Amino acid sequence: MEWINQFDVFFANSANSLLKSAGSFFTPVFKGITIAGNYGIVFIVIAVILLIFKKTRKAGILALLAMSFGFIFTNLILKNVIARPRPFFDQNSICYDYWVQAGSLSEKGYSFPSGHATSAAAFAMGLFLAFNKKWSWSFLLIPFLMGYTRIYFFVHYASDIVGGLSVGFSCGALSFLIFWLLDKYILKKKGIQI
């Protein structure tokens, strides 16, 4: 467990160094990104829009399915089972000081895994698997940026982000597998085309 602590401390110190050296230059941009991830609303809206068009319908289905699995595994199961407090919970820790310096972004609930990272990764993986791999890999940058903003504001440890990314990417792959099985064995046999 000590290596996880060292990993978290390294990223906490790095994020605080960026905050100090850039003179809060990144703070408004990162705040916009992190707020956009609240409750996965932006990702849900985009996925619903993708459902409207036949060419992008598969991507919308995969993204929504992946985010649904991610919500179940992260918010309903893992957060409550692991029950890890947020970095700023201990007012005597350096992370609390870093959190105050970053603007004291208010967050509730447990820390591990990150729900923002989970939903961003699930969304991105759904789009990556649905679209042309020549350019769809760029969607995979979204969860890493989202995850970094959560570390920057000290509402999550870096290991929370790794946990969220793992759950989200896995849920994206699971949604693709389920979609493929449904399409191959049920929908095509009934003449339903998505």
Side-chain angles (χ1 to χ4, degrees), residues 28-55:
V29 175
F30 286 172
K31 191 168 190 177
I33 293 167
T34 205
I35 289 172
N38 287 352
Y39 309 107
I41 297 294
V42 169
F43 303 129
I44 293 167
V45 168
I46 292 170
V48 168
I49 291 169
L50 292 172
L51 286 175
I52 297 169
F53 306 100
K54 189 169 175 73
K55 275 182 127 176

Side-chain angles (χ1 to χ4, degrees), residues 61-140:
I61 291 169
L62 289 176
L64 287 172
L65 190 58
M67 288 187 290
S68 298
F69 288 141
F71 176 79
I72 291 166
F73 289 125
T74 292
N75 295 74
L76 300 181
I77 299 172
L78 293 173
K79 278 186 182 278
N80 294 308
V81 169
I82 296 168
R84 184 184 199 185
R86 296 213 179 243
F88 58 81
F89 185 75
D90 180 4
Q91 294 184 7
N92 296 317
S93 76
I94 191 69
C95 285
Y96 179 82
D97 295 337
Y98 289 171
W99 174 71
V100 171
Q101 291 170 32
S104 305
L105 193 67
S106 180
E107 286 292 340
K108 296 176 184 172
Y110 294 119
S111 195
F112 184 91
S114 165
H116 280 65
T118 299
S119 62
F123 171 79
M125 189 67 158
L127 299 189
F128 169 73
L129 293 170
F131 291 125
N132 185 329
K133 305 304 172 279
K134 188 174 183 179
W135 55 268
S136 69
W137 63 267
S138 60
F139 291 121
L140 300 177

